[in-house]
Amino acid sequence: SSGVLESLMLTTGIAMTATLLAALVGVPAGRALGLHDFRGKGLVLLILAAPVIVPAIAVVPGLHGVFLWLGLTGTVTGVVLAHLIPVLPYMILIMASVFAGFDTVHEDQARSLGARPLAVWWHVTLPAILPGLVTGALFAFLVSWSQYLLTLAIGGGRVQTLPLTLYAYASAGRNDLAGAIGILYILPGLLILLVTARQVTGRHPAMTGGVLR
């Protein structure tokens, strides 16, 4: 009856959706930034870093007005899209640094041997960038998981994620439930780090200048 389990499931779903969307945008964007030099690249990087640098409280009022005009306030969809604002920079910048060390010669070799684009992506590119992609997804998930202000502003109190539930019970003096929620709140970060520690430190020939065999 406390609503904690519902908040846990909702928070997990929002964080996973935001992470997936961030990966779909971040991988091609990171490839473009990491492999190519173009005019205005520095400005693009500065714009990407802005959501991380500028305090959320400074942009929430304007952001709320935009989402209100779009009819997305008080909805899970609106909250997911709002979470992409702080989540995308981490994913894109991490993937840009990954692709900066990526050797496209291995992709050329695969294509010269008759591999189709999907096969090149699945057998060459993805294994090479997987450690960086896992790292970016880890940051994206945790950033979305921990969002309070954006969720409160865009969700309007209707979308009760775990941070909102934790704050509500802590403010009400329910230290028993607040303590239990606090444990749930920190568990994903610890579990993700334990599960992905080996993957994050992986190596691939395309990232180290080696030769594919």
Side-chain angles (χ1 to χ4, degrees):
S1 61
S2 64
V4 173
L5 293 180
E6 290 82 356
S7 295
L8 175 63
M9 297 300 294
L10 179 61
T11 307
T12 303
I14 290 174
M16 291 180 66
T17 304
T19 300
L20 177 60
L21 293 175
L24 292 175
V25 175
V27 171
R31 183 185 180 100
L33 288 171
L35 293 180
H36 305 288
D37 288 322
F38 52 88
R39 182 175 296 180
K41 181 177 178 179
L43 179 61
V44 172
L45 292 173
L46 179 62
I47 293 173
L48 284 174
V52 181
I53 300 172
V54 178
I57 191 66
V59 298
V60 160
L63 189 65
H64 181 267
V66 172
F67 276 68
L68 188 64
W69 178 69
L70 294 173
L72 292 172
T73 54
T75 66
V76 174
T77 301
V79 171
V80 171
L81 293 176
H83 283 196
L84 286 177
I85 296 172
V87 164
L88 268 177
Y90 286 97
M91 180 64 78
I92 294 176
L93 294 176
I94 288 174
M95 295 312 302
S97 67
V98 169
F99 277 107
F102 180 75
D103 190 352
T104 58
V105 170
H106 296 83
E107 292 179 331
D108 297 335
Q109 290 175 348
R111 282 190 289 266
S112 69
L113 294 173
R116 296 180 180 273
L118 183 59
V120 174
W121 160 256
W122 185 257
H123 295 289
V124 179
T125 309
L126 182 59
I129 68 170
L130 187 57
L133 182 59
V134 170
T135 303
L138 167 64
F139 275 99
F141 184 90
L142 293 179
V143 169
S144 176
W145 174 272
S146 61
Q147 285 301 312
Y148 173 80
L149 190 57
L150 282 175
T151 305
L152 179 63
I154 305 303
R158 298 178 184 176
V159 182
Q160 281 291 322
T161 58
L162 210 58
L164 270 66
T165 304
L166 173 60
Y167 182 81
Y169 281 116
S171 300
R174 291 298 305 272
N175 295 331
D176 52 345
L177 284 173
I181 298 171
I183 294 175
L184 292 175
Y185 190 60
I186 65 174
L187 275 180
L190 297 176
L191 292 175
I192 291 173
L193 287 174
L194 289 174
V195 171
T196 61
R198 184 174 181 178
Q199 183 64 52
V200 168
T201 57
R203 292 293 182 267
H204 190 274
M207 304 303 296
T208 58
V211 178
L212 286 173
R213 297 183 181 275

